[in-house]
C-alpha cells in the first residue's frame, strides 16, 4: 500500500493550532487541503493564518514564491462536512472528548467515500474507542503529530484494535511522503512518547517531594549532566502543568492505577492553585518581568586532592580516570580488582561510588555517590549525594575533585539512584516494557523518544550502553528501598538482560 496520491485532497477538521499545523504540512507536501470547523468563520481565519505562515517561509527562503502561490491555490475553507466528500484522507483535531470525536466520525462516515482514510490526532484518547462508533472501523487510524506540526518530525501512526493493516500502512507511507518520520505503534495509553516519558517527570517530582533537591537543581543536573535539552520542571511549565498532569493521570487511570504511573501530589497542588506555568505567569518558576531567576545549588570552590585510588570497575564512569590524569591528579589502581560497583577512594578514606540504586547511607563505609552522566567528559555539572557519616572535609575533597575536572557540583540529599541515574533506569524499563508488550519495536521506541521529546539518546540504546543487566540490578536495589512495585523491573527488561548477558 502506497502513500496517498498528491492529487487526492486532504481534509482537516478542527482549525486550532494543531489543525492548522497539520493542514500546512499536507499543503506544502502538495495536496489540495480543505479546512472545516464547526464554529462559523474559523476555517476562513485559519486559512488566512496558514497563508501568513507561508509568507514567512518565503521571507526566510524556505519556500519559493511560486510554490507559495500554488499552495494558496490548493487551500480552501469548507462551510460544511459535505464539501469533504471527495477527500482521500480526513484528519481530525477537535476537542479531546470521546463523544465529540465519535459523533464527528459518524457524520463523516455518511459523507466520504468507502476508501477514504479517517484519522484522529488524539494524544490521550483510545483510537479503538473512537473507531468503535463506526460501521467500518478498519479504515480508522491515529495520526498523532507533535506541536508545532510543521517543525517537529515525529508522527505516531497508531493502529486501533480494528484497524486494517492496509490503512495503517497507507497512513505511515503518507506521513513519510510528507517529510515526517513516522513510527508504528499499538493503541495503548500514551502511545509511545507519552507512555515512555512518564518517569522523566515522575522521578523529578518524587525527588522534589522527598526534598532531595529543589526544582532548579534537579533541572540543571538533568540538563548539564544527563544531556537532556530541558529539565522536567521547566518543561512542564512550558507544556502547562494542567496539561502534563492530566496526561499523567489519564495514563495512570488507564493502567488501573499501576504504581509505576502514580501522579504527583505536588503537581496536583500546583494545578489546583492555578500555577500552570508560562501561560499563567507562575509555575515551578516565575515568569513575570520582576520574577527572580531560580538558580541551582552549586558548591563553592574547594581544593582538589592530589591523588586518588580506584578500586574495581567504574563501568560507564571509566572516563573520569582520564579526566583526573589530565587535571594532574595522581590515579592509583588496585591490582586485579574486578568487583562491581567500583569506587574512587579519596585521601580521607571516603569512597566515591556511582549511583547504584541504594542509598549512600546503606553502605558499610562512609560513601559519597555521584550521578550518572550521558558523557562524563562533556558534562558540565555533577551531583554528589553524601551519606550521613561523611564529614565536611571529605565532602570538600569530593567537591574539589570534580571541580578540578571542570564540573560544577551540586550536593543533594542521600537519594537512592540520585537524579539522572534513577530517571534513566526508569526510562529504560518503560521502553522495554513497551517493546515487550508490542506497543512498538525497539527502534521505533528510540526514534520516538529522540524526535518526540528530544532525548539525547533513545532509552533502549541507553540501556544497552549501561548494559541492561546492570539496569536490572540497580532497579532491584531501588525496589528494595521503595517496595511498592514502582521500581520493580518489567519482565521484558529482565528477559532482555538475560539475553544480553548470555549472548
Amino acid at each position: 500500500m502506497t502513500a496517498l496520491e498528491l492529487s487526492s485532497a486532504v481534509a482537516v477538521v478542527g482549525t486550532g493550532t494543531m489543525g492548522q499545523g497539520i493542514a500546512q504540512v499536507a499543503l506544502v507536501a502538495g495536496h489540495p487541503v480543505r479546512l472545516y470547523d464547526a464554529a462559523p468563520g474559523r476555517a476562513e481565519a485559519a486559512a488566512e493564518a496558514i497563508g501568513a505562515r507561508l509568507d514567512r517561509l518565503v521571507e526566510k527562503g524556505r519556500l519559493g514564491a511560486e510554490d507559495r502561490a500554488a499552495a494558496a491555490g490548493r487551500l480552501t475553507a469548507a462551510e460544511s462536512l459535505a464539501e469533504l466528500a471527495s477527500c482521500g484522507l480526513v484528519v481530525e483535531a477537535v476537542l479531546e472528548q470521546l463523544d465529540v470525536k465519535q459523533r464527528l466520525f459518524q457524520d463523516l462516515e455518511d459523507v466520504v467515500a468507502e476508501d477514504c482514510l479517517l484519522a484522529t490526532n488524539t494524544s490521550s484518547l483510545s483510537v479503538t474507542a473512537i473507531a468503535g462508533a463506526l460501521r467500518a472501523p478498519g479504515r480508522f487510524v491515529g495520526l498523532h503529530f507533535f506541536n508545532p506540526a510543521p517543525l517537529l518530525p515525529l508522527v505516531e501512526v497508531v493502529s486501533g484494535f480494528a484497524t486494517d493493516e492496509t490503512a495503517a500502512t497507507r497512513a505511515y507511507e503518507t506521513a513519510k511522503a510528507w517529510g515526517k518520520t513516522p513510527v508504528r505503534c499499538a493503541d495503548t495509553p500514551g502511545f509511545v512518547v507519552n507512555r515512555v516519558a512518564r518517569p522523566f517527570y515522575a522521578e523529578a517530582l518524587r525527588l522534589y517531594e522527598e526534598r532531595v533537591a529543589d526544582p532548579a537543581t534537579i533541572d540543571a543536573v538533568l540538563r548539564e549532566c544527563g544531556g537532556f535539552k530541558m529539565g522536567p520542571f521547566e518543561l512542564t511549565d512550558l507544556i502547562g502543568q494542567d496539561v502534563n498532569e492530566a496526561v499523567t493521570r489519564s495514563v495512570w487511570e488507564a493502567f488501573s492505577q499501576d504504581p509505576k504511573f502514580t501522579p504527583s501530589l505536588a503537581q496536583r497542588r500546583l494545578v489546583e492553585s492555578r500555577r500552570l506555568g508560562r501561560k499563567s505567569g507562575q509555575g515551578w518558576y516565575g515568569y513575570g518581568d520582576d520574577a527572580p531567576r531560580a538558580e541551582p545549588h552549586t558548591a563553592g570552590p574547594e581544593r582538589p586532592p592530589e591523588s586518588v585510588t580506584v578500586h574495581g570497575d567504574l563501568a560507564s564512569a571509566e572516563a573520569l580516570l582520564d579526566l583526573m590524569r589530565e587535571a594532574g591528579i595522581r590515579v592509583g589502581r588496585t591490582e586485579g580488582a574486578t568487583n562491581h560497583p567500583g569506587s574512587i577512594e579519596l585521601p580521607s578514606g571516603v569512597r566515591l561510588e556511582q549511583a547504584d540504586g541504594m542509598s549512600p547511607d546503606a553502605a558499610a563505609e562512609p560513601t559519597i555517590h555521584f550521578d550518572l552522566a550521558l558523557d562524563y567528559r562533556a558534562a558540565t555539572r555533577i551531583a554528589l549525594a553524601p551519606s550521613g557519616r561523611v564529614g565536611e572535609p571529605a565532602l570538600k575533597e569530593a567537591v574539589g575533585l570534580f571541580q578540578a575536572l571542570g564540573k560544577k557540583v551540586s550536593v543533594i540529599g542521600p537519594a537512592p539512584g540520585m537524579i539522572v541515574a534513577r530517571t534513566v533506569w526508569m526510562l529504560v524499563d518503560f521502553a522495554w516494557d513497551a517493546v515487550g508488550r508490542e506497543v512498538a519495536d525497539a527502534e521505533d521506541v528510540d526514534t520516538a523518544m529522540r524526535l518526540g521529546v528530544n532525548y539525547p539518546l533513545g532509552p533502549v540504546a541507553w540501556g544497552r550502553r549501561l548494559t541492561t543487566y546492570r539496569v536490572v540490578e540497580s532497579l532491584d536495589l531501588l525496589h528494595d528501598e521503595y517496595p511498592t512495585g514502582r521500581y520493580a523491573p518489567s519482565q521484558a527488561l529482565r528477559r532482555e538482560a538475560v539475553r544480553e548477558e548470555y549472548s
Side-chain angles (χ1 to χ4, degrees):
M1 180 62 68
T2 58
L4 195 69
E5 293 181 358
L6 288 181
S7 60
S8 185
V10 174
V12 178
V13 180
T15 58
T17 301
M18 185 57 75
Q20 290 182 33
I22 296 169
Q24 181 180 329
V25 171
L27 190 65
V28 172
H31 290 272
V33 173
R34 296 172 191 169
L35 296 171
Y36 174 77
D37 199 295
R42 283 193 180 175
E44 291 83 355
E48 292 179 5
I50 293 170
R53 283 200 291 273
L54 295 180
D55 288 337
R56 289 195 291 274
L57 291 178
V58 173
E59 292 170 4
K60 295 177 181 179
R62 297 177 184 172
L63 185 69
E66 292 183 2
D67 291 335
R68 188 260 182 253
R74 296 193 302 271
L75 180 63
T76 58
E79 295 183 358
S80 68
L81 287 180
E83 295 178 48
L84 312 183
S86 62
C87 291
L89 167 64
V90 180
V91 183
E92 163 273 315
V94 303
L95 196 64
E96 285 285 272
Q97 290 184 3
L98 179 61
D99 59 340
V100 172
K101 293 180 187 290
Q102 286 178 327
R103 284 197 300 272
L104 169 63
F105 282 109
Q106 285 175 325
D107 291 341
L108 283 168
E109 205 171 26
D110 291 335
V111 170
V112 299
E114 291 183 359
D115 60 350
C116 176
L117 187 63
L118 300 178
T120 175
N121 184 58
T122 186
S123 61
S124 62
L125 299 176
S126 165
V127 171
T128 301
I130 299 172
L134 300 181
R135 295 189 302 273
R139 61 169 164 174
F140 190 82
V141 67
L143 275 179
H144 181 216
F145 289 77
F146 287 74
N147 192 28
L151 297 180
L152 294 186
L154 183 69
V155 178
E156 291 177 318
V157 180
V158 187
S159 291
F161 189 78
T163 301
D164 291 338
E165 177 61 27
T166 53
T169 300
R170 169 156 283 190
Y172 179 94
E173 294 297 336
T174 298
K176 190 174 180 180
W178 290 357
K180 296 301 181 182
T181 304
V183 297
R184 296 176 182 267
C185 64
D187 183 23
T188 185
F191 309 142
V192 177
V193 172
N194 280 330
R195 173 182 176 143
V196 176
R198 296 343 296 163
F200 183 70
Y201 313 109
E203 295 312 310
L205 288 162
R206 178 138 192 176
L207 289 162
Y208 166 76
E209 290 172 339
E210 294 177 354
R211 297 302 186 259
V212 170
D214 60 275
T217 300
I218 295 170
D219 277 354
V221 171
L222 281 162
R223 285 195 317 268
E224 300 169 36
C225 184
F228 293 92
K229 299 298 183 184
M230 296 182 74
F233 293 98
E234 58 187 337
L235 180 54
T236 53
D237 267 0
L238 178 63
I239 295 169
Q241 297 300 332
D242 52 341
V243 174
N244 182 261
E245 201 263 352
V247 172
T248 298
R249 191 164 294 277
S250 78
V251 172
W252 175 62
E253 290 173 351
F255 280 108
S256 303
Q257 301 185 353
D258 187 322
K260 285 180 177 286
F261 297 95
T262 302
S264 162
L265 180 59
Q267 189 177 38
R268 175 99 293 258
R269 293 291 179 258
L270 210 64
V271 173
E272 290 172 342
S273 65
R274 305 305 296 165
R275 296 187 172 196
L276 305 180
R278 288 181 179 271
K279 63 185 176 183
S280 69
Q282 179 68 53
W284 293 110
Y285 305 111
Y287 296 96
D289 293 337
D290 300 327
R293 179 179 174 83
E295 297 292 342
H297 169 78
T298 303
E302 301 293 348
R303 184 185 299 275
E306 293 182 357
S307 64
V308 298
T309 302
V310 175
H311 305 279
D313 176 15
L314 294 184
S316 64
E318 282 284 321
L320 291 174
L321 302 186
D322 287 338
L323 289 175
M324 287 188 281
R325 294 185 184 104
E326 291 166 16
I329 297 169
R330 295 193 304 276
V331 179
R333 194 152 201 175
T334 52
E335 292 295 330
T338 58
N339 60 299
H340 179 79
S343 64
I344 302 168
E345 184 179 351
L346 299 170
S348 61
V350 169
R351 297 203 177 198
L352 285 164
E353 294 182 358
Q354 191 179 43
D356 64 356
M358 292 176 61
S359 167
D361 285 326
E365 303 170 344
T367 302
I368 301 172
H369 281 178
F370 61 90
D371 213 343
L372 173 69
L374 173 68
D375 180 337
Y376 281 101
R377 180 173 288 276
T380 57
R381 183 179 296 271
I382 197 76
L384 300 180
S387 74
R389 289 180 290 167
V390 172
E392 191 69 18
L395 180 57
K396 288 182 177 180
E397 274 185 329
V399 170
L401 172 64
F402 281 98
Q403 287 174 340
L405 309 186
K407 319 299 182 191
K408 296 177 182 178
V409 178
S410 293
V411 179
I412 66 172
M418 301 189 68
I419 298 173
V420 180
R422 186 196 289 197
T423 300
V424 170
W425 299 333
M426 289 296 283
L427 289 171
V428 172
D429 184 56
F430 274 48
W432 274 108
D433 185 57
V435 173
R437 296 176 187 271
E438 297 185 350
V439 174
D441 64 31
E443 182 179 354
D444 276 356
V445 168
D446 273 3
T447 297
M449 302 314 293
R450 285 188 296 100
L451 299 183
V453 278
N454 213 11
Y455 284 2
L457 194 64
V460 171
W462 212 333
R464 286 173 174 156
R465 175 189 288 188
L466 298 173
T467 74
T468 51
Y469 181 78
R470 285 181 173 173
V471 173
V472 167
E473 279 187 329
S474 300
L475 286 172
D476 278 335
L477 291 171
L478 205 52
H479 176 58
D480 290 341
E481 296 277 354
Y482 301 95
T484 62
R486 179 186 180 110
Y487 299 106
S490 66
Q491 288 302 306
L493 180 62
R494 289 190 185 279
R495 287 194 297 270
E496 176 60 19
V498 171
R499 188 203 65 76
E500 183 180 278
E501 186 181 14
Y502 291 102
S503 63

